Amino acid sequence: MQLSLPYCMPDSIYHEGFSFLTPDERLNFDEIERVARATAELGVTRLRLTGGEPLLRPNLSELVERLVRIPGIEDIALTTSGMLLERQAAALHAAGLHRVTVSLDSLDPAVFARMSGGRGDLRTVLDGIGAARALGFPRGVKVNTVVQRDVNDAGVPELLAHFRHTDVIVRLIEYMDVGNRNGWERSDVVTSREMMTRINALWPLDPVSPAYRGEVATRYRYADGGGEIGFISSVSAPFCGNCSRARLSSDGQFFTCLFATKGTDLRAVLRDAGHAGEDEPLRQTLANIWHRRTDRYSEERQERRSRAEAVHEDKAGKKIEMHYIGG
């Protein structure tokens, strides 16, 4: 079952016959927990399960329950397409998941079908959001909406109106050049500033302070008390210098940037027979990676634009696909 979105995972490449990882190639729950514990010992406090589609992983609630128990971890989040959320929400809630983010780009059935590759069902996603809201996850439910010009931008007000005066926070995300195959063009980007101008004309907005250092979304609340909204502006206002995120792929590659061209193989470290059960080599590897990181792709993209240079693959390098490391 393919539940990822086409701008992350184009169907022309990742079709029904595509060969994905075998179970032995994926990290098991013990290995994921070991990496999470090592990062927590190095100061990480927030974890997110994303994809691809994390709810395709059998018994995901078991992993959540294990991660919640790690000392130092204060927040466990999940990002999902929402297609499997209704049936798994109760187990995830019982396991201690703190919050849920659902990717939802339109309330128009035709636009939704286009942006989900024809594989999703709008009603199922909305039912999943409803189920999550009814359970009352401690830190709530968010909706992530990637805005593409002349695709779904005209429908953004309808989507916002649907969730206004509820506890669901919608975050509008500038369409990014993730991976190498989504056909990204700068002309497809609707900037946060442009969206904010449109929305402010309908419902005036007031700024809200960040909830924590390094928060990627710029937060606003509706002046009339209609709730909160966020903007993620990786294209028009890069935040590389304040980024504190790292990503672990399902096969154990560790990346320090969404736009990375390569990662570090932690699976080999985890399975090194010479260090069986020893996590100091893992901690040292993670610390070394983080201290040496120099990622600033989005800032460099902005600099190239200021010099009137086009962003080509030969300049940016062959980036990791978004479905491989999550958003």
Side-chain angles (χ1 to χ4, degrees):
M1 180 187 291
Q2 182 178 321
L3 298 177
S4 293
L5 304 173
Y7 45 76
C8 305
M9 198 169 181
D11 189 53
S12 60
I13 304 295
Y14 304 98
H15 47 73
E16 292 289 351
F18 187 82
S19 179
F20 292 94
L21 295 172
T22 65
D24 286 344
E25 292 173 314
R26 295 196 301 264
L27 296 185
N28 59 40
F29 285 177
D30 288 340
E31 292 167 331
I32 296 172
E33 183 181 354
R34 285 177 63 193
V35 175
R37 285 184 179 277
T39 61
E41 290 165 1
L42 293 170
V44 169
T45 60
R46 307 165 72 88
L47 300 175
R48 177 176 295 276
L49 301 172
T50 179
E53 174 48 67
L55 295 182
L56 287 173
R57 185 75 180 252
N59 304 313
L60 188 69
S61 59
E62 176 192 331
L63 176 61
V64 171
E65 189 171 4
R66 294 168 69 162
L67 296 178
V68 166
R69 293 199 297 261
I70 296 175
I73 296 300
E74 302 170 357
D75 184 75
I76 307 287
L78 172 81
T79 297
T80 172
S81 69
M83 284 295 293
L84 302 176
L85 182 57
E86 184 177 20
R87 71 182 76 170
Q88 296 190 40
L92 292 165
H93 183 268
L97 185 71
H98 295 113
R99 54 197 174 104
V100 176
T101 299
V102 178
S103 297
L104 175 60
D105 296 323
S106 179
L107 293 182
D108 180 293
V111 177
F112 175 89
R114 173 180 173 180
M115 297 190 73
S116 65
R119 298 180 182 276
D121 177 76
L122 178 58
R123 185 70 260 163
T124 300
V125 174
L126 291 174
D127 287 346
I129 293 172
R133 289 185 61 208
L135 285 163
F137 283 88
R139 291 171 193 157
V141 179
K142 291 185 174 70
V143 165
N144 277 355
T145 301
V146 175
V147 183
Q148 291 180 251
R149 190 177 302 281
D150 299 329
V151 177
N152 68 327
D153 59 317
V156 166
E158 177 190 9
L159 188 146
L160 295 177
H162 181 85
F163 291 109
R164 268 172 43 82
H165 298 288
T166 74
D167 53 358
V168 175
I169 298 172
V170 177
R171 298 189 297 188
L172 302 178
I173 304 173
E174 292 180 345
Y175 181 43
M176 294 180 286
D177 51 333
V178 292
N180 310 281
R181 300 184 174 97
N182 70 354
W184 183 87
E185 296 287 345
R186 185 175 289 277
S187 58
D188 295 330
V189 178
V190 182
T191 67
S192 294
R193 182 183 295 274
E194 182 179 346
M195 286 306 309
M196 195 181 307
T197 299
R198 296 189 200 178
I199 295 162
N200 199 61
L202 297 171
W203 306 291
L205 300 173
D206 295 325
V208 177
S209 299
Y212 56 90
R213 182 182 178 184
E215 186 172 25
V216 299
T218 304
R219 300 169 58 203
Y220 290 82
R221 65 168 59 93
Y222 296 108
D224 66 359
E228 185 178 317
I229 184 175
F231 298 86
I232 299 178
S233 315
S234 177
V235 176
S236 67
F239 39 82
C240 303
N242 201 35
C243 179
S244 59
R245 294 190 173 196
R247 294 165 174 84
L248 179 68
S249 69
S250 58
D251 63 351
Q253 294 292 315
F254 186 80
F255 300 91
T256 55
C257 180
L258 177 61
F259 302 96
T261 58
K262 61 181 180 179
T264 300
D265 184 9
L266 294 188
R267 186 177 63 186
V269 179
L270 289 163
R271 297 181 182 179
D272 183 352
H275 296 286
E278 298 180 15
D279 283 342
E280 180 54 34
L282 175 62
R283 283 191 294 272
Q284 191 61 52
T285 298
L286 289 166
N288 289 340
I289 294 168
W290 193 251
H291 289 145
R292 294 197 309 264
R293 75 193 193 281
T294 58
D295 311 283
R296 52 187 301 272
Y297 173 85
S298 292
E299 290 178 347
E300 290 169 346
R301 184 212 298 116
Q302 193 82 333
E303 290 168 4
R304 286 192 292 268
R305 186 189 186 202
S306 68
R307 295 194 301 264
E309 295 180 12
V311 178
H312 296 298
E313 187 170 319
D314 61 344
K315 285 185 176 291
K318 187 174 179 61
K319 303 187 294 293
I320 300 300
E321 300 297 335
M322 187 172 179
H323 75 270
Y324 183 64
I325 56 173

